[in-house]
Amino acid sequence: MPAAVRFGVNYTPSEGWFHHWLDFDLDSVRADLDSIAALDLDHIRVFPLWPYFQPNRTLIRPRAVEQLRQLVDAAAERGLDVNVDGLQGHLSSFDFLPSWTRTWHRRNLFTDPDVIEGQATFLRTLAAALADRPNFLGMTLGNEVNQFSAGPHPDPDRATGAQIDAWLERMLAACEEGAPGKLHLHAEYDATWYQDDQPFTPAQAARRGALTAVHSWVFNGTAQRHGRTSVPTEHHAAYLIELSKAWADDPHRPVWLQEVGAPAPLIPAEHAAAFTEATVTHALDCTDLWGITWWCSHDVSRDLADFPELEYGLGLLTNDRRPKEAGLVLARAAREHTYAPKPRTIALVVPDNPAVRSACAPGGPVFEAFFRLTADGSRPTTVLDVRADDKDHLAARGVTEVVRPDQVLPTPQGGTRS
């Protein structure tokens, strides 16, 4: 287990948001990176917009790729490593998909052979362009691409779990071909862990790629149900970290808290720093944590229209690059944290069957039992029902006690517990 956790931020350019790729200004990027480095963070996650970089299936714009290289080099000058997301895809409620996949050229993002070949070529090209940069961490396939595969997306590209598995294998292989030995992974929003009909599954998240990524957003019903200072809200990121471990074959597979933020009004601006401190503290109590990457670096400019209101104020820095209190809290954690969590010895049983994974969602029995244990002072982790009696697996993880949700939750009035 590493002696320190990586601390970073998802880079949202202060000028033009992600549309900055259309009018790329390296001086503005450098100023943004200076303000990030001043928070003592060690990495950023960056987001090329897919249609801007690959406007035609057989055209990947060399100038755009060169600008990405310039950004990565500017980050290196400031001591920042870089993870690059490829297929954006989806960001802050907006979809960015190339015209060669939509309307008159409508083809499934996950199953059409020509689209898959174009995607693989794009990911391979970006990875290869950065392979020799020592501060290039690796590729994430794309930001929360699972939201395209099922509802509530208004026009999903539906696929089976087996088709998604084949897609992930192909895309990760393309990244490895472009930049061998780097940290290549995929990352989804929490429907992977919570939504019964999602073709992106927990097993894929916890077994494919170099590490497991989780994205923690308490606007998923957690803060609405439990409140901003509740145990479930302040421990939600830690819950996802520990939930992911149930499906991992490697008992010490690293987990990256790749996105987490303080969404207003559920977390009011005046409470964002306290939420940040609590979230980070509890995440650091999880073993095998690779890093914490906050969403996001800079506030979205009010000059830009039609964002959901919460998106405008998520930055650790204002739009004019001034640090906010939450940014100072994260900076202090990056500088001063110690990382030596003890193994979690009590494991809550979760169903292996992805068709009933809503048991793990807010309001579900796994979710509620986990936080009942947490509120009572326990430090639970999770284990699959099919591994609950596997002594070797439990021992490798340091687990000495296994409990079912129905052994934790109160008996319903007039009911019985088996």
Side-chain angles (χ1 to χ4, degrees), residues 372 408-412 417:
R372 173 62 63 91
V408 176
L409 296 173
T411 302
R417 293 287 188 203

Side-chain angles (χ1 to χ4, degrees), residues 27-44:
D27 288 337
S28 177
V29 168
R30 286 171 172 152
D32 284 348
L33 297 179
D34 285 338
S35 64
I36 292 170
L39 296 178
D40 293 312
L41 305 177
D42 62 43
H43 70 276
I44 58 173

Side-chain angles (χ1 to χ4, degrees), residues 239-383:
Y239 170 64
L240 281 176
I241 293 166
E242 293 302 325
L243 182 63
S244 78
K245 296 176 183 179
W247 282 270
D249 291 333
D250 177 356
H252 297 291
R253 177 174 167 90
V255 183
W256 182 359
L257 179 54
Q258 195 186 46
E259 273 190 32
V260 60
L266 295 169
I267 309 297
E270 62 269 25
H271 297 291
F275 173 82
T276 302
E277 184 169 18
T279 295
V280 169
T281 297
H282 300 314
L284 290 173
D285 193 36
C286 300
T287 60
D288 302 305
L289 179 64
W290 182 88
I292 299 172
T293 310
W294 205 261
W295 188 281
C296 55
S297 64
H298 299 81
D299 285 346
V300 176
S301 171
R302 290 280 176 180
D303 292 339
L304 296 174
D306 299 328
F307 284 79
E309 181 61 28
L310 70 89
E311 297 286 349
Y312 287 103
L314 289 169
L316 296 175
L317 301 136
T318 63
N319 189 246
D320 58 356
R321 306 187 180 107
R322 290 178 291 109
K324 296 155 71 172
E325 187 61 31
L328 298 178
V329 166
L330 195 71
R332 184 166 60 250
R335 288 192 308 270
E336 300 176 3
H337 79 280
T338 57
Y339 185 61
K342 296 178 181 178
R344 296 185 175 223
T345 59
I346 182 169
L348 186 66
V349 174
V350 303
D352 181 39
N353 182 1
V356 295
R357 77 191 97 167
S358 56
C360 302
V366 172
F367 185 99
E368 298 301 326
F370 186 97
F371 290 114
R372 173 62 63 91
L373 289 167
T374 302
D376 288 345
S378 294
R379 298 173 58 253
T381 186
T382 61
V383 64

Side-chain angles (χ1 to χ4, degrees), residues 24-372:
F24 188 76
D25 182 343
L26 188 55
D27 288 337
S28 177
V29 168
R30 286 171 172 152
D32 284 348
L33 297 179
D34 285 338
S35 64
I36 292 170
L39 296 178
D40 293 312
L41 305 177
D42 62 43
H43 70 276
I44 58 173
R45 179 173 169 230
V46 303
F47 302 89
L49 290 188
W50 183 19
Y52 298 173
F53 276 65
Q54 192 182 23
N56 182 273
R57 184 165 59 85
T58 57
L59 172 63
I60 299 170
R61 295 176 52 242
R63 185 176 180 184
V65 175
E66 177 56 31
Q67 289 167 342
L68 176 61
R69 274 197 292 253
Q70 291 172 359
L71 189 157
V72 172
D73 289 343
E77 293 167 359
R78 288 149 181 84
L80 295 167
D81 290 343
V82 181
N83 171 264
V84 176
D85 272 48
L87 300 169
Q88 276 73 242
H90 178 83
L91 289 163
S92 301
S93 84
F94 293 99
D95 288 350
F96 297 93
L97 295 172
S99 59
W100 47 272
T101 69
R102 303 292 93 182
T103 62
W104 299 106
H105 295 266
R106 184 69 163 88
R107 290 177 282 190
N108 191 290
L109 296 173
F110 305 110
T111 63
D112 182 87
D114 288 339
V115 172
I116 290 172
E117 181 61 34
Q119 292 168 330
T121 300
F122 178 60
L123 291 171
R124 187 185 307 112
T125 298
L126 294 189
L130 300 171
D132 64 344
R133 266 50 176 186
N135 67 320
F136 172 51
L137 292 169
M139 298 292 299
T140 301
L141 299 187
N143 183 55
E144 299 184 347
V145 291
N146 63 319
Q147 67 94 32
F148 289 111
S149 68
H153 193 279
D155 183 24
D157 290 52
R158 298 193 183 275
T160 67
Q163 288 170 325
I164 294 300
D165 205 49
W167 183 84
L168 289 169
E169 182 176 14
R170 178 72 184 281
M171 296 303 119
L172 289 166
C175 295
E176 181 66 18
E177 290 161 8
K182 296 289 187 177
L183 199 74
H184 303 306
L185 67 148
H186 62 104
E188 290 80 44
Y189 87 104
D190 61 17
T192 287
W193 310 101
Y194 293 161
Q195 186 172 315
D196 292 339
D197 66 346
Q198 255 286 331
F200 284 80
T201 66
Q204 293 163 350
R207 297 170 190 169
R208 288 205 173 275
L211 43 67
T212 301
V214 295
H215 292 188
S216 174
W217 289 102
V218 296
F219 54 57
N220 63 1
T222 300
Q224 293 94 324
R225 176 184 292 266
H226 296 282
R228 65 173 174 80
T229 60
S230 66
V231 168
T233 298
E234 294 188 343
H235 288 254
H236 184 263
Y239 170 64
L240 281 176
I241 293 166
E242 293 302 325
L243 182 63
S244 78
K245 296 176 183 179
W247 282 270
D249 291 333
D250 177 356
H252 297 291
R253 177 174 167 90
V255 183
W256 182 359
L257 179 54
Q258 195 186 46
E259 273 190 32
V260 60
L266 295 169
I267 309 297
E270 62 269 25
H271 297 291
F275 173 82
T276 302
E277 184 169 18
T279 295
V280 169
T281 297
H282 300 314
L284 290 173
D285 193 36
C286 300
T287 60
D288 302 305
L289 179 64
W290 182 88
I292 299 172
T293 310
W294 205 261
W295 188 281
C296 55
S297 64
H298 299 81
D299 285 346
V300 176
S301 171
R302 290 280 176 180
D303 292 339
L304 296 174
D306 299 328
F307 284 79
E309 181 61 28
L310 70 89
E311 297 286 349
Y312 287 103
L314 289 169
L316 296 175
L317 301 136
T318 63
N319 189 246
D320 58 356
R321 306 187 180 107
R322 290 178 291 109
K324 296 155 71 172
E325 187 61 31
L328 298 178
V329 166
L330 195 71
R332 184 166 60 250
R335 288 192 308 270
E336 300 176 3
H337 79 280
T338 57
Y339 185 61
K342 296 178 181 178
R344 296 185 175 223
T345 59
I346 182 169
L348 186 66
V349 174
V350 303
D352 181 39
N353 182 1
V356 295
R357 77 191 97 167
S358 56
C360 302
V366 172
F367 185 99
E368 298 301 326
F370 186 97
F371 290 114
R372 173 62 63 91

